[in-house]
Amino acid sequence: MRQLKLFFLFCFCIISSSVFATHNRAGEITYRKISNLYYEIKIVTYTKSSSPADRPELEFWWGDGTRDTIPRQSITPNVGPDIQKNIYVGTHTYPGSGSYTMYFLDENRNADVVNMPGSVNIPFYVETKLVISPAITSNSSPNLLQPPIDNGAVGQIFLHNPNAFDPDGDSLSYELVSCKGTGGQPIPTFSYPAANNSFSLDAVTGDLVWDSPLTIGEYNVAMIIREWRNIPGIGTFNIGYVTRDMQITIYPPVNQPPIIAAINDTCVEAGTNLNFTVFVTEPNNELITLSASGGPFVTNNNPATFTSTPTVGTNNGTFNWNTDCSHVRKSKYTVVFKAIDNNTNVQLVDLETMFITVVGPSPKNPYATPLGNSLVLNWDTSLCSQAIGYKIYRRQGSYGFTPSQCETGVPAYTGYSLIGQTNGLYNTTLTDDNNGTGLAPAVQYCYMVIAIYPDGAESYASIEFCGTLIRDLPIITNVDVNTTSNISGAIYVAWGKPTNLDFTQTPGPFKYVLQRKSGNGVFTDVVSKTDLNDTTFTDTGLNTLDSTYTYRIAFSNETPGNTFLIGNTQQATSMYLRVTPSDEQNTLNWSVNVPWNNSNYEIYREFSPGVFNLIGSSYSNSYTDDSLTNGVEYCYYVKSYGSYLDTGLVNPIINKSQIGCATPLDNVSPCPPTITLNGNCLNLTDTINWNYDATCGSDIEKVNLYFKGARENGYTLIASESGLTGSFIYNNPVSIAGCYYLTAVDTTGNISLTSDTLCIDPCPTYELPNVFTPNSDNINDLYHPIFPYRDVQDIAFKVFNRWGALMFETTDIDINWNGKKNNNGEEAPAGVYFFICTVYETSANGELLPRNINGTIELIR
């Protein structure tokens, strides 16, 4: 009788424990940096109000090997049917830089979670990751502005958005994960809720869409919200995450949810007002409550407002945000609009998520002033004081760019290129001298400037502003290779004379000094001229066959007693042609480094000694001449056509390269063969088949076959076979396990890339008998596998009697059980025994593959 009472008492304790412990519904952990290594955490839980298992404090693990008891700061009852909200707050100083996964684990979840059988006995676990690093100046977690408790109805699309706002402006991403329990491990009984169509989470917006629930009840799902930050000079990294475990209650289908009209994402310039109306309708003509939440409503300066009065059937609300410079950031602000009906059975919801980007204003009043062979650029200080500098972009000629509403910076399609950057809010001047080489006087240079911000945000671009140098220097126009030779080459050089000389400052006379450098050498004087109209020179005795030559003209004032250099022209380099031979073709590439714009190129080929004919044209710096004969030399030169914008200069500007030659040859590797593989365990043979597409190369001489055994380090050539198709049988008495690949070789010795590598895993040759007779007659006295076997590296073998007692175990591949307990104890009586054996066989790539063998052994004495 006493035992029976104890049994009932024991059962009552189990039942009572389950009843009292059934309470956790949802929760999450967020944190904020207070100073240096000092952080505050906030735990939010939603629990079952009617459960006696209240938690005035929680045990919390900080992720650095320490834990604390965190007291509850507040309770909010009746946030939903039988739902209570709890907030716990604690602080902690971390030891230094590192990655810390903080978490709490509470005894039990509430009972009867549909997609988590046995939920009443499953702990509730959530975690949050904090990354502390010298490269991360501040790092607070995103705040989740929508509660993790929501409702839906069978057959109706369910929507939820955590509405995460990151106070540091980090980018956020979202992903579904399994709910976790004991030891922070995924719950084995958990599954995602069943849906008519789909259950998904948008990685960018954070919209959780359940389309649509099948069964009433309570469901739990979990998601991770990750923070991403671009760290200058390092890259973009995940710097932490928050896990949300939320509960969704699905009710019977009694009505339809309200519908919010679509809202487009938008961008707004800081300092302007963003104002628009949100519209919603209710199919059941019920009262609608429309609200909004998100980052704009929790900013420190000028937070946004949303006004709406509940009405029946239709409703609207007004969003208003007077933005300012403090709102500028690279990441978008998320706003979630939420419409709720007032159905007495279940209140259904529609969500509409939009992104708002606040863009810094463009730099104002830019202008360019010519100074020598440079342009001095100026603009006003940014209207936003947190700007940390400016980027300057340039192109030749105007584009007429006007940014669209969400087009920040200077897009590449405009043809503008970044030429410089200034650091500091007040550093609003840049001198463009083309990296020291000088700008071309006859070219219109246009610019745009943007402001940049600490998080990488870019402002709108300034208006285009342009400038042209005063033509007070010569303008080089020709560097034309007239003769190709390694000792007696000749280059024709020409230039336009200056037309805007200031005779007050430079009364003359004047002098041109043509200067030249070879390759990467230094400039030396070639010739001097004192006649302004003498603007040509043929430079001779050059190695134009192997080298490029760069020219410039130094222009000086030669007034007696007042001699000085006025300036140097831009540099122009002779066009250099390289010809690369291949199979029945030559590929031509030429280098161009000149201050004018080349619009197109003509390609000439020698057809008889000294006679070149036009064979094609190109708008780029390359050309392929094909359908040639291998072994025959072909020679070429390229002629360029270009111009300056200044109409007073020669147009077109025509220059030639040196003559370049090459002999086509077959140096193209054939395509790899296609391989198939079949293994035969009975005969211990592998059959390798191949075929070859002749359109990839018709001159295939042979196919090479390579093999690597399972325990070998490298491949070995095992066969060379002719024919575009064929097969080869490889007999390996040790094992059929291994890997194969093929290469093709053409008649000139070119070898293809390798084919696909195909592998054969070992045959399951390790087999165990079902009877043995340990009767000391030297016949079948030891239990061992059936010989022979191959590719076995290790085993784990156990024998049990019919009551489950372990009789024998070994890792000996040959087993060698003598019929005694552990091979040295009492003899096992005759009868049937059970065995389990895991065999580890060597795979084709050398890894061990486990294979389980279970069965019975009849022991006969």
Side-chain angles (χ1 to χ4, degrees), residues 43 57-61 67-70 103-106:
I43 307 169
E57 57 188 21
L58 288 175
E59 198 79 3
F60 187 77
W61 284 257
R67 62 180 177 176
D68 281 323
T69 300
I70 308 297
Y103 67 91
F104 80 91
L105 183 144
D106 201 1

Side-chain angles (χ1 to χ4, degrees), residues 449-581:
V449 180
I450 64 170
I452 54 178
Y453 294 83
D455 67 345
E458 297 181 339
S459 74
Y460 287 121
S462 72
I463 60 170
E464 281 187 318
F465 60 105
C466 304
T468 304
L469 298 185
I470 297 172
R471 191 170 160 185
D472 57 356
L473 287 173
I475 300 175
I476 194 164
T477 58
N478 292 88
V479 179
D480 184 13
V481 180
N482 280 347
T483 305
T484 300
S485 171
N486 63 347
I487 56 173
S488 58
I491 295 178
Y492 169 76
V493 184
W495 58 93
K497 69 179 183 179
T499 58
N500 288 350
L501 290 171
D502 184 348
F503 291 103
T504 301
Q505 298 294 326
T506 56
F510 303 96
K511 182 173 69 173
Y512 300 123
V513 177
L514 178 65
Q515 298 177 330
R516 176 192 69 212
K517 68 176 181 179
S518 173
N520 296 320
V522 297
F523 280 104
T524 58
D525 295 347
V526 177
V527 67
S528 298
K529 294 176 178 285
T530 57
D531 181 354
L532 280 180
N533 295 314
D534 187 0
T535 59
T536 64
F537 182 77
T538 298
D539 194 12
T540 59
L542 306 175
N543 180 7
T544 54
L545 181 66
D546 304 309
S547 179
T548 60
Y549 291 89
T550 302
Y551 294 87
R552 71 182 182 190
I553 296 98
F555 185 58
S556 60
N557 179 73
E558 297 295 317
T559 303
N562 189 24
T563 300
F564 60 91
L565 177 68
I566 299 174
N568 295 316
T569 66
Q570 282 199 305
Q571 302 171 16
T573 303
S574 57
M575 183 166 45
Y576 192 78
L577 172 65
R578 290 177 174 83
V579 186
T580 304

Side-chain angles (χ1 to χ4, degrees), residues 734 765-767 785-792 812-815:
V734 177
T765 59
Y766 193 85
E767 298 180 6
I786 298 172
F787 297 106
Y789 57 83
R790 301 172 181 85
D791 302 306
V792 178
D812 181 357
I813 296 174
D814 291 331
I815 300 178

Side-chain angles (χ1 to χ4, degrees), residues 396 443 476-480 571-576 590-602 618-622 638-645 650-657:
Q396 293 187 18
V443 174
I476 194 164
T477 58
N478 292 88
V479 179
D480 184 13
Q571 302 171 16
T573 303
S574 57
M575 183 166 45
Y576 192 78
W590 51 94
S591 59
V592 177
N593 185 13
V594 294
W596 59 86
N597 289 322
N598 283 329
S599 58
N600 63 290
Y601 303 89
E602 292 180 345
S618 174
Y619 293 99
S620 66
N621 290 26
S622 65
V638 177
K639 184 185 292 185
S640 66
Y641 290 80
S643 65
Y644 286 104
L645 293 178
V650 60
N651 189 2
I653 299 172
I654 301 174
N655 291 279
K656 300 186 298 297
S657 73

Side-chain angles (χ1 to χ4, degrees), residues 29 39 158 161 185 252 284 297 365 375 550 554 625 640 652 742 754:
I29 306 164
Y39 284 79
F158 168 83
N161 190 300
Q185 297 301 309
N284 307 289
F297 300 98
N365 302 316
L375 285 169
T550 302
D625 187 19
S640 66
L742 294 165
T754 62

Side-chain angles (χ1 to χ4, degrees), residues 356-388:
I356 301 172
T357 304
V358 181
V359 184
S362 62
K364 309 300 182 187
N365 302 316
Y367 61 94
T369 304
L371 178 65
N373 60 359
S374 304
L375 285 169
V376 181
L377 315 177
N378 291 275
W379 57 92
D380 291 350
T381 301
S382 172
L383 298 175
C384 289
S385 61
Q386 74 267 39
I388 60 170

